[in-house]
Amino acid sequence: MSYDATFRVWRGDATGGDLQTFTVEVNEGEVVLDVIHRLQASQAGDLAVRWNCKAGKCGSCSAEVNGRPRLLCMTRMSTFAETETVTITPLRAFPVIRDLVTDVSYNYVKAAQIPAFTPGPRDADGAHRMQQVDVERSQEFRKCIECWLCQDTCHVIRDHEENKAAFAGPRFLIRLAELDMHPLDVLDRREDAQDQFGLGYCNITKCCSEVCPEGIHLTDNGIIPLKERVADRRFDPLTWLGSRIGRRPRS
Amino acid sequence: MRTDRWWVQPLVTVLVLVAFIVYATIRAFQNAHYFAEPYISPFYSPCLTTACEGDTFPELFTGPTWISPALYILVFPLGIRLTCYYYRKAYYRSFWLSPPACAVAEPHRRYTGETRFPLVGQNVHRYFLYAALVINVILLYDAVLAFRDETGEWGHMGLGTLVLLVNAVLLALYSLSCHSCRHIVGGRLNHFSRHPLRYRFWTAVSRLNARHMQYAWASLFSVAFADFYVFLLATGTITDLRFF
Ligand code: SF4
Ligand code: SF4
Ligand code: FES
Ligand code: FES
């Protein structure tokens, strides 16, 4: 079963652009990226789109479909009515390079600012040991494919470019949570989370969790626990006092 | 750019919360019809002053009679819900439109989130949790007292008993599923393997926590309904259905 769909695709570059309308064939079982490729092959040979795996695992094909941040390769055409116009735009939170390709370097700059995993001393036999139950929470965040959809959706930077300097974005808040919860990591990352990476900017409205293609519970399992850890240190006089007199080890 | 009806959810949230706030405010200031032997409305429990109708809690002091006894305790349930991580999401989105829905532009020119006064105060949430847990115990106690009949004899149960009991349980589930609770029972640890008991608590609370939103709404409805039921009894509009 195939039909002709109406696609509106944003075309342009850093200096500007607009939505262009195309009619393009759609076959059963296809995803949005298939249709974009057909468009490229048949009508718009120079259409720029970033992709790689077509399997939802490389995180390259992020864009916005009908205004919602999505992976193009994981958005099935069957989710739209045949008569529905499908609008594809580049990630709004990042500067456009061309067409659907944006410059996502902001994310790599933030990534580089996070102090690396810092394990304590090795055991006598030279090994690092940890228990599965202890590292399980951190492992959820390792599923991240760095598609930047959460970063793109987060209103803190999506709607407020000026916050980019102070706010690292949900992807990196869960990176901090991952390391702070890690059984072998010895750095205390709570002060940095608040002061350098802008944890306080997040108002836990959960859009990052809604868009994550890996189903990571960024807010519930990462950001909120991190806020609670920061509260222990900064905002809770009792816990602070407890840690001072040695009653509350963080192990 | 979003083409779906993204505004439905914030709209419904506003309508329900406004309706609750209006109802709760009227009832809290009413200073009447909150006790119908043996039931006390959850809005008025614990009832602390000598002016209280009923005898479900020790009378601790004599306040001016024109101050409704609900007002002394109002700050606690209000505080936990205002600083609750779930309700924060709900009202930041629906009342403050920050953001109104995901990937929908917010109307504010500047945004600082919870970095400064007053919103940085949300970080005291855990203290409201402690207070809420105390109130949970008192409301469960009220539900137990509702197994007495009008004359104080044990072995009674009416629809009112069930209403108070369900409400007390839902409110307890709401508190226990709290994110701060999850942190306090075990989330703050980095080595669960050294604290097997706390790991079990954390696992149990995590399971409840996944449904925190549902408990937040269910308990909001149940507390209003329990109050309304007592109101209907106290004004003589209905009589309690008696099971035994
Ligand atoms: S929950 Fe926080 S980090 Fe995630 S999208 Fe919302 S504001 Fe951004
Ligand atoms: S957390 Fe999820 S949405 Fe964010 S970059 Fe990783 S995979 Fe993408
Ligand atoms: S192409 Fe790799 S995630 Fe879509
Ligand atoms: S009561 Fe909702 S998070 Fe604590």
Side-chain angles (χ1 to χ4, degrees), chain A residues 154-156 167 170 173 201-208 219 223:
Chain A
C154 180
H155 69 116
V156 177
F167 184 66
L173 296 180
Y201 282 84
C202 165
N203 67 354
I204 50 167
T205 35
K206 283 184 115 166
C207 291
C208 49
T219 326
I223 297 173

Side-chain angles (χ1 to χ4, degrees), chain A residues 113-160:
Chain A
Q113 288 167 357
I114 294 185
F117 174 61
T118 312
R122 292 172 187 275
D123 294 346
D125 60 0
H128 280 302
R129 286 193 176 74
M130 55 188 172
Q131 304 279 323
Q132 179 59 31
V133 287
D134 296 342
V135 79
E136 218 143 51
R137 274 181 302 176
S138 295
Q139 281 174 335
E140 177 183 4
F141 310 131
R142 303 293 301 176
K143 291 191 300 185
C144 173
I145 58 171
E146 306 213 316
C147 63
W148 317 127
L149 287 177
C150 56
Q151 305 282 90
D152 176 58
T153 321
C154 180
H155 69 116
V156 177
I157 47 178
R158 184 183 176 91
D159 297 333
H160 302 279

Side-chain angles (χ1 to χ4, degrees), chain A residues 33 50-62 71-74 145 147:
Chain A
L33 186 61
R50 198 186 265 135
W51 67 283
N52 214 303
C53 68
K54 258 196 86 185
K57 283 292 167 235
C58 73
S60 307
C61 64
S62 305
L71 294 179
L72 295 178
C73 73
M74 296 303 280
I145 58 171
C147 63

Side-chain angles (χ1 to χ4, degrees), chain B residues 80 84-86 125 174 178-179 212:
Chain B
I80 192 171
C84 166
Y85 285 98
Y86 169 69
H125 179 58
Y174 172 61
C178 163
H179 289 275
H212 188 58

Side-chain angles (χ1 to χ4, degrees), chain B residues 179-230:
Chain B
H179 289 275
S180 291
C181 182
R182 185 180 185 214
H183 173 73
I184 292 159
V185 298
R188 64 155 62 98
L189 299 170
N190 279 356
H191 293 90
F192 286 144
S193 55
R194 293 181 199 156
H195 307 269
L197 195 62
R198 289 184 68 184
Y199 178 57
R200 297 227 337 238
F201 285 147
W202 179 84
T203 311
V205 170
S206 296
R207 202 166 296 146
L208 293 177
N209 179 260
R211 308 186 65 88
H212 188 58
M213 174 181 85
Q214 284 86 335
Y215 294 134
W217 287 114
S219 60
L220 192 78
F221 285 117
S222 75
V223 80
F225 181 76
D227 173 77
F228 187 61
Y229 189 78
V230 173

Side-chain angles (χ1 to χ4, degrees), chain A residues 34-73:
Chain A
D34 292 318
V35 183
I36 292 289
H37 280 157
R38 181 163 305 115
L39 203 57
Q40 223 178 17
S42 60
Q43 302 174 46
D46 61 345
L47 175 66
V49 56
R50 198 186 265 135
W51 67 283
N52 214 303
C53 68
K54 258 196 86 185
K57 283 292 167 235
C58 73
S60 307
C61 64
S62 305
E64 303 192 1
V65 181
N66 289 348
R68 309 184 83 142
R70 316 227 16 152
L71 294 179
L72 295 178
C73 73

